[in-house]
Amino acid sequence: MVSAKSKNKSHYACTECGATAQKWQGQCPGCGQWNTLVESLMESATPTGRSFSALGGASKLQALVDIRPRDVPRQPTGVEEFDRVLGGGLVAGGVVLIGGDPGIGKSTLLLQALGRLAQSGESVLYVSGEESGEQVALRAQRLQLDVGGMQLLAEINLERILDTLSQTRPSVAVIDSIQTLWSDALQSAPGSVAQVRECAAQLTRFAKQSGTCIFLVGHVTKEGALAGPRVLEHIVDTVLYFEGDTHSSFRLVRAVKNRFGAVNEIGVFAMTDKGLRGVANPSALFLSQHAQDVSGSCVMVTQEGTRPLLVEIQALVDSSQAPNPRRLTVGLEQNRLAMLLAVLHRHAGVVCSDQDVFVNAVGGVKIAEPAADLAVLLAIVSSLRNKPLPGKLVVFGEIGLAGEIRPAPRGQERLKEAAKLGFTLAIVPKANAPKLPIKGIEVVALDRIEQAMEQLRSW
Ligand code: TYD
Ligand code: MG
């Protein structure tokens, strides 16, 4: 395998125009862009001038109706919250990428899952490129795992790892991490885009051929894209990202792509001294406790996969000293904040152009859905006027550029969860108004932001 690989020649290809060069250069000889040449493997030459009349070599077609889809069997890992994000469990031949900041708990979670799988009699292999065998053993001891059936390989050379994998054929393998691997076939350093991509592609090919389920650990680099897990998202079947504040003990694992299950499903864990422990009932985790009502705070219900979560949105609006006032978000989208401030100005006459605006989703949770808009707006106005919102209020709803409040999916479930946690008042989009009253919660349904501002004034 090694000898076959090393015959492959590498070259440098431009990521913008596709031009190739034998040596690395700062500027692409084709399009003149800078820093776009990355090392890649030369495709084996295809015969030119081929005649298409000889159809003998054509692939056979199949009618889609004749193909009977099989139910893919799932192998639960035994770590419940992890199985939930995976869509029920592992699929044979599936490749799962787990991304996240260094130190957030990727190795811990996978070691725990492998431990459980080994206990249930699966053959599992942990390939560690970052830590020595002793370090992994120490962690397993700390996690009090029964590691009887677990094999460890401390190796970073792709060809050797593939040889070991094809000899031992484990049912589940973990590669920790993809950025430490290097292939003989490429000259670039481990962790470069070319190496990461090539190693992941080869491992994926192995998974599909052998039926081994492979986990790839990937660190998210500070810049996000470069050589990080993002370049692999299209290769693998499932992409999971760790979220959460490394300073708090809660960790969220979110599925952003899943060929075998729902996306945006989340698993919630708490980091304890014995590893990650699933939190079965996480809806109240992301609320902070205030002794009395404070201004600039608004609780929203967000729907993550199949679960509603209550998250506190905090805003601080403060007069700005700078010519360009700051707009800063943590856990929410920055551009959306600028848009919301424009809508607030145009349709409700609330001016923030001389104010710095900071918005934060409590607990390090990331909210991507636009249903957070209404909570962000109310928190901003509450901070600007220095007037607290009612303590037991919860809101959700998207805001459009015309100032309308748009419905959010699964409004009923959100309201029920809020009522369960003791919230007594809700502001929701008109289209989400429940047909029958929900016990314990009064629902105010609005369709314009002007109405929301009026409601604020009445408190
Ligand atoms: P780790 O899984 O090594 O992170 P990653 O692989 O994503 O880089 O987790 C590291 C952190 O978790 C580390 O700061 C220590 C903490 N930790 C615990 O709090 N309890 C534990 O039982 C373990 C194993 C780790
Ligand atoms: Mg690690």
Side-chain angles (χ1 to χ4, degrees):
M1 173 164 266
V2 178
S3 59
K5 273 272 28 116
S6 48
K7 276 198 214 115
N8 283 340
K9 274 251 186 63
S10 72
H11 66 194
Y12 292 83
C14 173
T15 53
E16 297 294 317
C17 71
T20 56
Q22 288 305 316
K23 287 220 174 81
W24 188 83
Q25 313 172 19
Q27 191 177 22
C28 168
C31 63
Q33 291 275 344
W34 289 90
N35 286 331
T36 53
L37 290 187
V38 291
E39 191 185 18
S40 40
L41 280 186
M42 199 95 80
E43 301 274 325
S44 57
T46 45
T48 49
R50 193 176 133 189
S51 145
F52 291 101
S53 59
L55 281 176
S59 307
K60 208 169 134 249
L61 295 181
Q62 257 184 310
L64 197 53
V65 285
D66 294 338
I67 302 174
R68 294 266 161 266
R70 277 172 301 145
D71 224 9
V72 259
R74 307 250 168 199
Q75 165 78 46
T77 61
V79 180
E80 233 168 80
E81 289 289 302
F82 194 39
D83 287 336
R84 172 193 281 273
V85 267
L86 286 169
L90 307 176
V91 176
V95 180
V96 183
L97 172 70
I98 300 197
D101 293 330
I104 202 155
K106 302 180 290 297
S107 308
T108 307
L109 179 62
L110 288 175
L111 197 63
Q112 282 179 281
L114 280 198
R116 292 288 185 90
L117 284 164
Q119 244 174 18
S120 63
E122 297 292 326
S123 57
V124 299
L125 173 65
Y126 191 99
V127 181
S128 178
E130 299 195 337
E131 293 163 308
S132 64
E134 287 93 71
Q135 282 171 306
V136 179
L138 203 66
R139 175 176 296 138
Q141 207 175 48
R142 183 167 169 194
L143 297 171
Q144 297 176 356
L145 291 177
D146 172 15
V147 287
M150 205 190 298
Q151 302 285 336
L152 185 106
L153 173 68
E155 179 60 69
I156 57 172
N157 179 264
L158 176 74
E159 283 74 24
R160 271 186 247 154
I161 293 173
L162 282 172
D163 284 346
T164 312
L165 280 172
S166 44
Q167 272 162 28
T168 52
R169 297 257 167 173
S171 57
V172 185
V174 167
I175 309 289
D176 190 357
S177 66
I178 189 74
Q179 274 118 341
T180 53
L181 297 198
W182 65 279
S183 160
D184 289 335
L186 296 173
Q187 276 126 41
S188 32
S192 64
V193 177
Q195 286 283 9
V196 165
R197 220 167 20 200
E198 176 64 17
C199 292
Q202 297 257 11
L203 286 163
T204 305
R205 215 167 301 143
F206 172 80
K208 302 295 163 206
Q209 282 165 4
S210 64
T212 297
C213 173
I214 295 188
F215 284 100
L216 303 176
V217 174
H219 295 292
V220 176
T221 52
K222 272 280 178 294
E223 299 76 30
L226 194 76
R230 297 226 154 237
V231 299
L232 304 179
E233 280 181 2
H234 64 285
I235 302 178
V236 301
D237 298 310
T238 304
V239 180
L240 309 179
Y241 279 111
F242 260 95
E243 286 174 17
D245 210 336
T246 21
H247 308 293
S248 88
S249 64
F250 296 110
R251 304 280 187 275
L252 257 69
V253 180
R254 187 190 298 268
V256 297
K257 164 181 172 180
N258 197 349
R259 287 188 184 143
F260 310 116
V263 289
N264 258 333
E265 195 62 83
I266 59 166
V268 184
F269 296 92
M271 181 62 96
T272 66
D273 55 350
K274 292 197 185 62
L276 289 162
R277 188 153 292 161
V279 179
N281 211 343
S283 51
L285 273 188
F286 301 101
L287 301 176
S288 54
Q289 307 291 330
H290 300 293
Q292 69 238 15
D293 293 351
V294 292
S295 61
S297 153
C298 183
V299 176
M300 76 162 296
V301 203
T302 171
Q303 181 84 30
E304 297 291 353
T306 52
R307 284 200 289 209
L309 274 185
L310 282 95
V311 179
E312 180 181 336
I313 305 289
Q314 295 185 333
L316 179 69
V317 181
D318 192 26
S319 57
S320 177
Q321 308 301 325
N324 287 324
R326 314 217 329 159
R327 271 94 184 82
L328 215 91
T329 58
V330 180
L332 294 146
E333 213 185 308
Q334 191 124 341
N335 288 336
R336 199 141 185 114
L337 173 62
M339 191 197 91
L340 287 175
L341 290 173
V343 174
L344 193 63
H345 178 216
R346 245 331 257 290
H347 296 284
V350 179
V351 185
C352 292
S353 53
D354 53 349
Q355 308 279 334
D356 288 333
V357 181
F358 306 96
V359 180
N360 173 32
V362 168
V365 55
K366 289 199 179 73
I367 301 175
E369 65 163 2
D373 292 352
L374 192 55
V376 172
L377 271 197
L378 292 184
I380 288 172
V381 177
S382 157
S383 173
L384 181 70
R385 307 219 165 114
N386 199 15
K387 204 168 149 194
L389 300 170
K392 289 291 166 199
L393 169 75
V394 8
V395 309
F396 61 86
E398 176 181 347
I399 294 190
L401 288 182
E404 79 278 20
I405 301 178
R406 296 212 199 110
R410 304 200 194 207
Q412 294 279 321
E413 280 169 50
R414 298 181 199 234
L415 285 170
K416 280 188 188 141
E417 187 68 26
K420 206 169 89 191
L421 288 166
F423 286 83
T424 53
L425 178 62
I427 298 187
V428 305
K430 188 144 254 165
N432 284 125
K435 300 213 167 49
L436 298 170
I438 294 174
K439 199 164 162 266
I441 192 163
E442 183 198 340
V443 178
V444 181
L446 308 175
D447 58 4
R448 304 268 326 151
I449 72 162
E450 295 91 320
Q451 297 169 345
M453 293 303 125
E454 236 164 77
Q455 187 75 39
L456 267 182
R457 253 172 255 128
S458 71
W459 288 324

